[in-house]
Amino acid sequence: MPQPLNLHPDRLFPADPTVRAIARRLYDSIKDLPILSPHGHTDPRWFAENPSFGNASELFIRPDHYVFRMLYSQGISLERLGIPRRDGAAVETDPIAIWRLFAGNYHLFRGTPSRIWLDTVFSEVFGMTVALAPDTAEQYYHAITEKLATDAFKPQALMDRFNIECIATTEGALDDLKYHGAMKGGAMEKRVITTFRPDDVVDASREDFADNIKKLGELTGEDTHSWDGYLAALRQRRAFFRDHGATATDHGHPTAATANLSHAECRTLFELCISGKAGSAQQELFRAQMLTELAGMSIEDGMVMQIHPGAFRNHNPRIFEGFGRDKGADIPSPTEYVKALKPLLDKYGNDPRLSIILFTLDETSYARELAPLAGHYPCLKLGPAWWFHDSPEGMLRFRHQVTETAGFYNTVGFNDDTRAFLSIPARHDVARRIDCRFLAGLISEHRLGEDEGFELARALTYDLAKKAYKL
Amino acid sequence: MPQPLNLHPDRLFPADPTVRAIARRLYDSIKDLPILSPHGHTDPRWFAENPSFGNASELFIRPDHYVFRMLYSQGISLERLGIPRRDGAAVETDPIAIWRLFAGNYHLFRGTPSRIWLDTVFSEVFGMTVALAPDTAEQYYHAITEKLATDAFKPQALMDRFNIECIATTEGALDDLKYHGAMKGGAMEKRVITTFRPDDVVDASREDFADNIKKLGELTGEDTHSWDGYLAALRQRRAFFRDHGATATDHGHPTAATANLSHAECRTLFELCISGKAGSAQQELFRAQMLTELAGMSIEDGMVMQIHPGAFRNHNPRIFEGFGRDKGADIPSPTEYVKALKPLLDKYGNDPRLSIILFTLDETSYARELAPLAGHYPCLKLGPAWWFHDSPEGMLRFRHQVTETAGFYNTVGFNDDTRAFLSIPARHDVARRIDCRFLAGLISEHRLGEDEGFELARALTYDLAKKAYKL
Amino acid sequence: MPQPLNLHPDRLFPADPTVRAIARRLYDSIKDLPILSPHGHTDPRWFAENPSFGNASELFIRPDHYVFRMLYSQGISLERLGIPRRDGAAVETDPIAIWRLFAGNYHLFRGTPSRIWLDTVFSEVFGMTVALAPDTAEQYYHAITEKLATDAFKPQALMDRFNIECIATTEGALDDLKYHGAMKGGAMEKRVITTFRPDDVVDASREDFADNIKKLGELTGEDTHSWDGYLAALRQRRAFFRDHGATATDHGHPTAATANLSHAECRTLFELCISGKAGSAQQELFRAQMLTELAGMSIEDGMVMQIHPGAFRNHNPRIFEGFGRDKGADIPSPTEYVKALKPLLDKYGNDPRLSIILFTLDETSYARELAPLAGHYPCLKLGPAWWFHDSPEGMLRFRHQVTETAGFYNTVGFNDDTRAFLSIPARHDVARRIDCRFLAGLISEHRLGEDEGFELARALTYDLAKKAYKL
């Protein structure tokens, strides 16, 4: 006998009736605001070519590292989940078998945000009324897969249904942005924008770094084997990205280190890095220097700079060798900001034209470092709870630990940061509910007026993102 | 006029009536489940020889470092509490005087878990109905001491009364396990098992290390002064411990460092360590390498591996010199896991035969490192909130910070980790109440179904420990 | 239409009616207790000379780095806020213009403790009944400024109105304490005391260090260019401070490092430091050694030692150059205690005559390091949540993370740590409300008796500070 799938209208609000009623009032005032998604990893092809999304397993399992990392942690091989191997060796290809395996282990997600997002998509997007479980697996598979074949479930229709006003994708510095180009002049032009993520030409520890620098030269006609030519090429690419809608850059570095070297030191370091002879400390110094260089370029061209430090990428070499990047094996590390950012801040920190949005995977920095920094430096704002912390408890810790020192207005609203397009409304809904809940707590304790709460609910949902990302 | 001692049936549940009612329902469904105590420090002699526990002071004060560290922090000398000195110098010997001193300072424990455990034992085990205070000190002392002299308060009777299905003690690698041997064939055989804790023959920084290696050779007939003989001797001892019920090993290291050296490097390092000439970095490297060696042995023999890192042992040299180890002067330190565990995980992390249970004294690692690691690696599970964090708030922080990334099924239920046998039901009761409270919170906020809550309450109380420790 | 300014009588209490009612009962029992302010930065001149406080902007904006750092973080220059520049360049001098700018940005403080303190002062001290906002800015400015001109708003009258039993100021080692001297024999003598803060003659990284050592010699007649003469001079100054009421010393170091060098090593290190040739590691070692020396002096003379580590001072060089110290650009850093304090604790940690009050800006140390240390060492107590953490959430985290291991009696009550004299009752009121709220939580969950709650509320408000600071 299947359990019903009920999304309670008051989900994620606290049980206390006073606080819940306030949270509900705030939420009702903002739940229908359009979605701004200023940082994420959806595929621009979807919006340009409007394809169907395939079957339920392709949509929900294969691309979602939150899902398969949990299954893997309980001994289920990635091969059985149909994750393609780099060596082309056989993996499960029957999507129904994969879906059954997932459904049979759906209990593993109890208490996780994936469970909330998935149930919300199942209910709100696909209209499911029973819970996913072994005995409903096939019913789910077929219901979802059939709907995905219809026009109403194609990307452009969903953009409207989801009320997405603007979504940013993320592309590497060498990307030709052909899908963004193809959208020019169409209905999606201003709704789908790119983001400039130059890690591929900034991180000299990558195996493809030398190649990438060469390609950067070919793309731009600059001599990218000279420091000045390299910088000129980056400026050119930034302009190209801006022409395809980009208002922001993004930097996924292992640490928040910045540097402020002389021009001569930069030249020497750059030459060492492109020679392939740089050690890891020199590669780290180069990344550090490049954050400062890129901040300088942001002052010139007005692009907002996002820094996402602190992930130890590809921690599990067997998974990396077998399946490649982004397979659930990235692990957060302790991340220091106060000393790390000082060289950049010493140079540019007081410049009102600069806007840097900081993220962290190390929650200990919220109250100790990030809120004090953002509560002082005009150029700094704090991005929302990120990745492993994009969750009800993670968001509550963010607000509880950040607000008293940084206030609300040094934060920038929500980022869904996802490649799972169908989950975007669910993710924003969690953020909206949790923000309203947090505000309701303050109001119920007479730390904030309810009139202020309505203003803030709107700011956290819409206004702050619009302003911070210059949308 | 003494205050009454009332254990409220809803203690540790939140005040909100909705959440409390759910917590109560969940708790009622699991409160009578048998106790599994898979990690602890009770004395196996108790279960083999079934002696009386002596008097109230001997039972509650002398062995309980939670109790005397708090009293010491407020200026009460360990001598006045009857803690024996290594040099044999006089200490207080009148148990009633010691008990009076304790009772006179019982207010110091307000807000601590010791207070909850003690009151629960006083009420539930000894039937006390007034609160411990200066004016009830003697009444308490005599009531407890008289009961301790009766058969109903001897260890084996209490095993039944407490409904302990299985309890693991912890013994060093050189232990003869004579008490476990004596229990063979008796009623306690499967209920009292040992745990293999080889720190004494793995930690080359110990003064007795060379002696211990020699004894290990004598015990096993192996040449423990060669690397290969040393490893063979460890394998032999593991088999001996398994023959006395052990299903797990335990490793109390200063850090979580692991290493993966070549056979030749291991040999050289081992020789340096047994020569007594190793520096502290080399001793650390040897401990690190041994965690990897022992993980390999766990794959061979199926023993579950527990790693308890992060205590700075014997921080107070005057206490160590005067009174020895385990006298309340161990202090937690910042503990890193992501880099530390990588060598071991690179070698064995994807092997489904390996099971490692990680503990921490550094709560900052819960959400940042441990939950992401356990939510990916098949070999890793997370032990419960440990030692200073074995407390209502500590357990809540554990669940709040771990669940969203690791889920419930990468955790292993509760460990009481205690030498205070009479407090075991009280400690498990706190854990059961707090877990039910946490689940009730999720249910009341519609993040979990109540039917799922009942399943999880049972899993956290019984099933997960049974499975993780192979009981 | 202005919003009303209503301070709800139950502000900062939780919404749950059961918990709120308990919190209210506890709070009613202690809200009128006199204020002890054993650590702060008010100007002793106020109490000696009893001047008027000037205008609203001078009182609330110019001296309050919490206020102007937030405004600065949103792009408002310190010049526009009338903060004087070191180079004497023009800044805004119209206090009404400054006040309007503040009022126009008052929404930035939503969710911050500044907002709570300010609203409380506006309402309770100045009787304002409408909220501060752009349209009430001038009404506020004039109402406040007019009241400030009256005798009832002068410092001595406010001391009585605020029911301040004792307040400690903080002076450098070279201060002549003339205002404290002037108060001798008067009504303020025992109510206003100094605190000995010798950073200026202990921190060899300061530009004025050599000068200060010279002045210390002149003041004391000791040869402060010899190690022994330097120590003798410090002892003399401590006696001078004690003669002006001081019961405590205070030490604001970058880290908690302590050292225990030989006399010969000290002499060499001291000579290096006063020569101006010490590197930063040597300056750090000297500060570390001095904490141990000063602990020894505390044992001699009974002064309580406060250690405030972990601030990265003057992080923003442009603000430091332009405006000097204490301009909102100090940022907390990760702070380690367990290894750092060991040299001092090894030497003096078990001495019952020593009393050290530890503070932190790194909340990760609460449960991991500080509570375990204070729950063991007789000489250690924990100061309250400090600076960025002197806030409702900060105080709750302190109690939640510290109490289970250190109890209540290893803490010392509240410090307002402020130079904003008019906000002192508001700050103490927040602490009283939050402590009562925390206790009410324990009581409502049957973790503490309500009778104990009343005792503890009084202890946390008054008794513990009185005892810890020997007032």
Side-chain angles (χ1 to χ4, degrees):
Chain A
M1 179 66 190
Q3 291 286 325
L5 176 63
N6 289 321
L7 297 187
H8 196 284
D10 287 333
R11 62 191 183 277
L12 296 173
F13 297 154
D16 181 273
T18 307
V19 189
R20 180 170 284 199
I22 302 170
R24 189 69 187 270
R25 287 197 292 277
L26 296 173
Y27 175 73
D28 283 342
S29 78
I30 54 87
K31 70 183 161 62
D32 295 325
L33 283 174
I35 287 176
L36 295 174
S37 174
H39 178 93
H41 299 277
T42 51
D43 185 343
R45 189 178 70 86
W46 297 337
F47 310 111
E49 301 192 342
N50 203 34
S52 293
F53 279 112
N55 63 54
S57 295
E58 271 180 282
L59 181 66
F60 284 113
I61 302 170
R62 197 191 297 161
D64 190 338
H65 53 70
Y66 287 91
V67 166
F68 59 69
R69 79 190 309 276
M70 176 63 89
L71 297 169
Y72 186 70
S73 79
Q74 289 278 316
I76 297 168
S77 73
L78 298 188
E79 285 87 349
R80 291 183 66 204
L81 294 165
I83 312 301
R85 288 190 57 90
R86 284 169 136 187
D87 61 9
V91 301
E92 180 61 62
T93 54
D94 175 5
I96 301 185
I98 294 168
W99 188 261
R100 265 196 231 106
L101 187 58
F102 170 55
N105 287 282
Y106 196 53
H107 65 284
L108 298 177
F109 296 93
R110 288 170 177 163
T112 71
S114 292
R115 159 69 181 272
I116 301 173
W117 299 329
L118 287 163
D119 275 1
T120 306
V121 177
F122 295 156
S123 170
E124 307 248 299
V125 181
F126 291 99
M128 304 305 296
T129 56
V130 294
L132 180 63
D135 58 348
T136 59
E138 301 206 16
Q139 174 188 351
Y140 257 76
Y141 180 83
H142 293 298
I144 290 170
T145 304
E146 279 159 29
K147 287 200 165 142
L148 289 178
T150 65
D151 282 350
F153 285 79
K154 288 186 177 173
Q156 292 181 1
L158 291 175
M159 280 287 282
D160 292 340
R161 178 172 168 195
F162 293 168
N163 196 15
I164 297 177
E165 181 176 314
C166 181
I167 188 168
T169 64
T170 302
E171 276 73 42
L174 305 175
D175 198 283
D176 60 11
L177 303 182
K178 70 177 170 187
Y179 298 115
H180 294 84
M183 284 183 270
K184 285 204 179 188
M188 292 291 129
E189 176 174 10
K190 296 204 165 161
R191 293 176 72 183
V192 181
I193 62 179
T194 183
T195 302
F196 181 65
R197 178 144 175 174
D199 299 354
D200 46 359
V201 294
V202 162
D203 183 353
S205 74
R206 293 170 63 122
E207 290 169 358
D208 56 3
F209 179 68
D211 264 4
N212 292 342
I213 296 298
K214 189 156 162 279
K215 282 181 199 154
L216 181 65
E218 291 161 6
L219 267 176
T220 58
E222 297 285 349
D223 170 14
T224 53
H225 291 80
S226 82
W227 171 240
D228 292 328
Y230 166 72
L231 296 179
L234 287 174
R235 283 189 172 86
Q236 226 191 91
R237 295 307 292 167
R238 293 170 69 101
F240 180 70
F241 273 68
R242 282 200 305 287
D243 185 51
H244 290 73
T247 67
T249 71
D250 185 34
H251 310 279
H253 286 203
T255 75
T258 65
N260 189 9
L261 305 176
S262 69
H263 189 266
E265 289 167 322
C266 288
R267 217 165 42 199
T268 307
L269 180 61
F270 176 70
E271 283 160 14
L272 188 67
C273 285
I274 55 172
S275 76
K277 291 179 191 149
S280 64
Q282 292 155 325
Q283 292 165 346
E284 168 82 350
L285 182 60
F286 184 68
R287 285 189 301 262
Q289 177 62 28
M290 285 309 299
L291 285 185
T292 308
E293 297 294 337
L294 291 157
M297 293 183 198
S298 275
I299 291 176
E300 294 166 16
D301 63 21
M303 294 179 88
V304 174
M305 187 174 189
Q306 301 172 90
I307 303 179
H308 282 90
F312 190 127
R313 302 274 171 180
N314 309 310
H315 190 267
N316 187 335
R318 212 171 109 185
I319 295 295
F320 180 66
E321 286 151 23
F323 304 92
R325 295 173 180 270
D326 300 325
K327 291 299 175 292
D330 299 341
I331 311 286
S333 292
T335 308
E336 199 276 342
Y337 291 85
V338 175
K339 288 176 189 160
L341 292 176
K342 196 165 190 320
L344 188 160
L345 293 172
D346 282 358
K347 187 161 188 185
Y348 295 126
N350 298 285
D351 193 314
R353 294 168 299 173
L354 181 60
S355 183
I356 298 176
I357 300 173
L358 294 174
F359 295 80
T360 197
L361 291 173
D362 181 352
E363 294 177 317
T364 69
S365 64
Y366 283 158
R368 185 180 60 211
E369 297 168 59
L370 292 179
L373 286 166
H376 167 67
Y377 282 99
C379 69
L380 296 181
K381 298 278 174 290
L382 301 185
W386 174 41
W387 197 343
F388 295 104
H389 310 309
D390 175 7
S391 62
E393 298 300 325
M395 290 175 190
L396 284 171
R397 287 197 292 271
F398 175 80
R399 290 282 174 219
H400 278 287
Q401 293 174 27
V402 155
T403 308
E404 293 185 319
T405 293
F408 291 104
Y409 295 91
N410 284 308
T411 64
V412 302
F414 179 64
N415 285 184
D416 56 68
D417 191 25
T418 193
R419 59 201 78 222
F421 180 59
L422 273 79
S423 75
I424 286 179
R427 289 169 192 252
H428 284 258
D429 189 61
V430 171
R432 291 173 185 198
R433 288 175 179 274
I434 294 293
D435 280 337
C436 289
R437 169 193 182 143
F438 178 73
L439 293 169
L442 295 181
I443 293 164
S444 73
E445 298 175 6
H446 311 288
R447 294 152 79 171
L448 195 71
E450 191 160 333
D451 57 315
E452 296 176 299
F454 284 105
E455 258 185 71
L456 282 165
R458 188 190 153 89
L460 301 182
T461 302
Y462 186 85
D463 300 338
L464 289 173
K466 186 130 187 157
K467 185 175 171 198
Y469 285 92
K470 307 184 179 179
L471 300 176
Chain B
M1 179 65 189
Q3 292 285 324
L5 176 62
N6 288 321
L7 297 188
H8 196 284
D10 288 333
R11 62 192 181 276
L12 296 172
F13 297 153
D16 180 274
T18 307
V19 189
R20 179 170 285 198
I22 302 170
R24 189 68 185 273
R25 287 197 293 276
L26 296 174
Y27 174 72
D28 284 342
S29 76
I30 54 87
K31 70 183 163 59
D32 296 324
L33 283 174
I35 287 176
L36 295 175
S37 174
H39 178 93
H41 299 277
T42 52
D43 186 343
R45 188 178 71 86
W46 296 337
F47 310 110
E49 300 192 342
N50 204 33
S52 294
F53 279 111
N55 63 53
S57 295
E58 271 180 281
L59 181 65
F60 284 111
I61 302 168
R62 198 192 295 161
D64 190 338
H65 52 71
Y66 287 90
V67 166
F68 58 70
R69 80 191 308 275
M70 177 63 89
L71 297 168
Y72 186 69
S73 80
Q74 288 278 317
I76 298 168
S77 74
L78 298 188
E79 285 87 348
R80 292 183 65 203
L81 294 166
I83 312 300
R85 290 189 56 90
R86 284 170 135 186
D87 60 9
V91 301
E92 179 62 62
T93 55
D94 176 3
I96 302 185
I98 294 169
W99 188 262
R100 265 197 231 104
L101 187 58
F102 170 55
N105 287 282
Y106 195 53
H107 64 283
L108 298 177
F109 296 94
R110 288 170 177 163
T112 72
S114 292
R115 159 70 182 273
I116 301 173
W117 299 329
L118 287 162
D119 275 1
T120 305
V121 177
F122 295 157
S123 171
E124 306 249 299
V125 181
F126 292 100
M128 303 305 296
T129 56
V130 294
L132 180 62
D135 59 348
T136 60
E138 301 207 14
Q139 174 188 351
Y140 257 78
Y141 179 84
H142 294 298
I144 289 170
T145 304
E146 278 160 29
K147 286 200 164 142
L148 289 178
T150 64
D151 282 350
F153 284 79
K154 289 185 177 173
Q156 293 181 0
L158 292 176
M159 280 287 281
D160 291 341
R161 179 173 168 195
F162 292 168
N163 196 16
I164 298 177
E165 180 177 313
C166 180
I167 188 168
T169 65
T170 302
E171 275 72 43
L174 305 174
D175 198 283
D176 60 11
L177 304 182
K178 70 176 171 189
Y179 298 115
H180 293 84
M183 282 183 270
K184 285 203 178 189
M188 291 290 128
E189 177 175 9
K190 297 203 165 162
R191 293 177 70 184
V192 182
I193 62 179
T194 183
T195 302
F196 181 65
R197 178 145 175 171
D199 298 355
D200 45 0
V201 295
V202 161
D203 184 354
S205 74
R206 293 170 63 121
E207 289 168 0
D208 55 3
F209 178 69
D211 265 4
N212 292 343
I213 295 297
K214 190 156 161 280
K215 282 181 198 153
L216 181 65
E218 291 161 7
L219 266 176
T220 57
E222 298 285 350
D223 172 13
T224 53
H225 292 80
S226 82
W227 171 240
D228 292 327
Y230 167 73
L231 295 180
L234 287 175
R235 283 189 172 85
Q236 228 191 88
R237 294 308 290 167
R238 293 170 70 102
F240 180 70
F241 273 67
R242 282 200 307 287
D243 185 51
H244 290 74
T247 66
T249 70
D250 184 35
H251 310 279
H253 286 204
T255 73
T258 64
N260 188 10
L261 305 176
S262 70
H263 189 265
E265 289 167 323
C266 287
R267 218 164 44 198
T268 307
L269 180 62
F270 176 68
E271 283 161 14
L272 188 68
C273 284
I274 57 172
S275 77
K277 290 178 191 149
S280 63
Q282 291 156 326
Q283 292 166 345
E284 168 81 350
L285 182 61
F286 184 67
R287 286 189 300 262
Q289 177 62 29
M290 286 310 297
L291 285 184
T292 307
E293 297 293 338
L294 290 157
M297 294 183 197
S298 275
I299 290 176
E300 293 166 17
D301 64 20
M303 294 179 86
V304 174
M305 187 174 190
Q306 299 172 91
I307 303 179
H308 282 90
F312 190 127
R313 303 273 171 181
N314 308 308
H315 190 267
N316 187 335
R318 211 172 111 185
I319 294 295
F320 180 66
E321 286 150 23
F323 303 91
R325 294 173 181 271
D326 299 325
K327 292 299 175 292
D330 299 340
I331 310 286
S333 292
T335 307
E336 199 276 341
Y337 290 84
V338 175
K339 288 176 189 158
L341 293 177
K342 196 165 190 320
L344 189 160
L345 293 173
D346 282 357
K347 187 160 189 185
Y348 296 126
N350 299 285
D351 193 314
R353 294 167 300 173
L354 181 61
S355 183
I356 298 176
I357 301 173
L358 293 175
F359 295 80
T360 197
L361 292 172
D362 181 350
E363 294 176 318
T364 67
S365 64
Y366 282 158
R368 185 180 60 210
E369 296 168 60
L370 292 179
L373 285 167
H376 167 68
Y377 281 100
C379 69
L380 296 181
K381 298 278 174 289
L382 301 186
W386 174 40
W387 197 341
F388 295 103
H389 311 308
D390 176 7
S391 62
E393 299 299 327
M395 289 175 191
L396 284 171
R397 286 196 292 270
F398 175 80
R399 291 282 175 219
H400 278 287
Q401 292 174 27
V402 155
T403 307
E404 293 184 320
T405 294
F408 291 104
Y409 295 90
N410 284 309
T411 66
V412 303
F414 180 63
N415 284 185
D416 56 67
D417 191 27
T418 191
R419 59 201 78 221
F421 181 60
L422 273 79
S423 74
I424 286 178
R427 289 169 193 252
H428 284 259
D429 190 60
V430 171
R432 292 173 184 197
R433 287 175 179 274
I434 295 293
D435 279 338
C436 289
R437 169 195 183 143
F438 177 73
L439 292 169
L442 295 182
I443 293 165
S444 73
E445 298 176 5
H446 310 289
R447 294 152 78 171
L448 195 71
E450 191 159 333
D451 57 315
E452 296 176 299
F454 284 105
E455 258 185 70
L456 282 165
R458 187 189 155 90
L460 301 182
T461 302
Y462 186 84
D463 300 337
L464 289 173
K466 187 129 186 156
K467 185 177 171 198
Y469 284 92
K470 306 183 180 181
L471 300 177
Chain C
M1 179 66 190
Q3 292 285 325
L5 176 62
N6 288 321
L7 296 188
H8 196 284
D10 288 331
R11 61 192 182 277
L12 296 174
F13 297 153
D16 180 273
T18 308
V19 190
R20 180 170 284 199
I22 302 170
R24 189 66 185 271
R25 287 198 291 278
L26 296 173
Y27 175 72
D28 283 343
S29 78
I30 54 88
K31 70 182 162 60
D32 296 325
L33 284 174
I35 287 175
L36 295 175
S37 173
H39 178 92
H41 298 277
T42 51
D43 185 342
R45 189 178 69 86
W46 296 338
F47 310 110
E49 301 192 342
N50 204 32
S52 293
F53 279 111
N55 63 53
S57 296
E58 271 180 282
L59 181 65
F60 285 111
I61 302 169
R62 197 191 296 161
D64 191 337
H65 52 71
Y66 288 90
V67 166
F68 58 69
R69 79 190 311 276
M70 177 63 89
L71 297 169
Y72 186 68
S73 79
Q74 289 278 317
I76 298 168
S77 74
L78 297 187
E79 286 86 348
R80 292 183 65 203
L81 294 166
I83 312 301
R85 290 190 55 92
R86 284 168 136 188
D87 61 9
V91 301
E92 180 60 62
T93 55
D94 176 3
I96 302 185
I98 294 168
W99 188 262
R100 264 195 232 107
L101 187 58
F102 169 55
N105 287 282
Y106 196 52
H107 64 284
L108 298 177
F109 296 94
R110 288 170 177 164
T112 72
S114 292
R115 158 69 182 271
I116 301 173
W117 300 329
L118 287 163
D119 274 1
T120 306
V121 177
F122 295 155
S123 170
E124 306 248 299
V125 182
F126 292 99
M128 304 306 295
T129 56
V130 294
L132 180 62
D135 59 347
T136 60
E138 300 206 15
Q139 174 188 351
Y140 256 78
Y141 180 85
H142 294 297
I144 289 169
T145 304
E146 277 159 29
K147 286 201 164 141
L148 289 178
T150 65
D151 282 350
F153 284 79
K154 288 185 176 172
Q156 292 182 0
L158 291 176
M159 280 287 282
D160 292 340
R161 178 172 168 195
F162 293 168
N163 196 15
I164 297 176
E165 182 176 312
C166 181
I167 187 168
T169 65
T170 302
E171 275 72 42
L174 305 174
D175 197 283
D176 60 11
L177 304 181
K178 71 177 171 188
Y179 299 114
H180 294 84
M183 283 182 270
K184 285 204 178 189
M188 292 291 128
E189 177 174 11
K190 298 203 165 162
R191 292 176 72 185
V192 181
I193 63 179
T194 184
T195 302
F196 180 65
R197 177 145 176 173
D199 299 354
D200 46 0
V201 294
V202 161
D203 184 354
S205 74
R206 293 170 63 121
E207 289 168 358
D208 55 3
F209 179 68
D211 265 4
N212 292 343
I213 295 297
K214 189 155 163 280
K215 282 181 198 153
L216 182 65
E218 291 161 7
L219 266 176
T220 59
E222 297 286 349
D223 170 14
T224 52
H225 291 80
S226 82
W227 171 241
D228 292 328
Y230 167 73
L231 295 180
L234 286 175
R235 282 187 172 85
Q236 227 191 90
R237 294 307 291 166
R238 293 171 69 100
F240 179 71
F241 273 67
R242 282 199 307 288
D243 185 51
H244 290 74
T247 67
T249 70
D250 184 35
H251 310 280
H253 286 204
T255 74
T258 65
N260 189 10
L261 305 176
S262 70
H263 189 265
E265 288 168 322
C266 287
R267 216 164 43 197
T268 307
L269 180 61
F270 176 69
E271 283 161 14
L272 187 68
C273 285
I274 56 171
S275 76
K277 291 179 191 148
S280 64
Q282 291 156 326
Q283 292 166 345
E284 167 82 351
L285 182 61
F286 184 68
R287 287 189 300 262
Q289 177 63 27
M290 286 309 298
L291 283 185
T292 307
E293 297 293 337
L294 290 158
M297 294 183 197
S298 274
I299 290 175
E300 294 167 16
D301 63 21
M303 294 179 87
V304 174
M305 186 172 190
Q306 300 171 90
I307 303 180
H308 282 89
F312 189 127
R313 302 274 171 182
N314 309 309
H315 189 267
N316 188 334
R318 211 172 111 184
I319 294 295
F320 180 66
E321 287 151 23
F323 303 91
R325 294 174 181 272
D326 299 326
K327 292 298 176 292
D330 299 340
I331 311 285
S333 292
T335 307
E336 199 277 341
Y337 290 84
V338 176
K339 289 176 188 159
L341 293 176
K342 196 165 189 318
L344 189 159
L345 293 172
D346 282 356
K347 187 161 189 184
Y348 295 127
N350 298 285
D351 194 314
R353 295 168 298 173
L354 180 60
S355 183
I356 299 176
I357 300 173
L358 294 175
F359 296 80
T360 197
L361 292 172
D362 181 351
E363 296 176 316
T364 68
S365 63
Y366 283 157
R368 184 180 60 209
E369 297 168 57
L370 292 178
L373 286 166
H376 167 68
Y377 282 100
C379 69
L380 296 181
K381 298 277 174 291
L382 302 186
W386 174 40
W387 197 341
F388 295 103
H389 310 309
D390 176 7
S391 63
E393 298 299 326
M395 290 176 189
L396 284 171
R397 286 196 292 270
F398 175 80
R399 290 282 174 219
H400 278 286
Q401 293 174 26
V402 154
T403 307
E404 293 185 319
T405 294
F408 292 104
Y409 295 90
N410 283 310
T411 65
V412 303
F414 180 64
N415 285 185
D416 56 67
D417 190 27
T418 192
R419 58 202 79 221
F421 180 60
L422 272 80
S423 74
I424 286 179
R427 289 169 193 252
H428 284 258
D429 189 61
V430 171
R432 292 173 184 198
R433 287 175 179 274
I434 294 294
D435 280 337
C436 290
R437 169 194 182 142
F438 177 73
L439 294 169
L442 296 181
I443 293 165
S444 73
E445 298 176 4
H446 311 289
R447 294 152 78 171
L448 196 72
E450 190 159 335
D451 58 315
E452 297 176 298
F454 284 106
E455 259 185 70
L456 282 165
R458 188 189 153 89
L460 300 182
T461 303
Y462 186 84
D463 300 338
L464 289 173
K466 186 131 186 154
K467 185 177 172 198
Y469 285 92
K470 307 183 179 180
L471 299 177

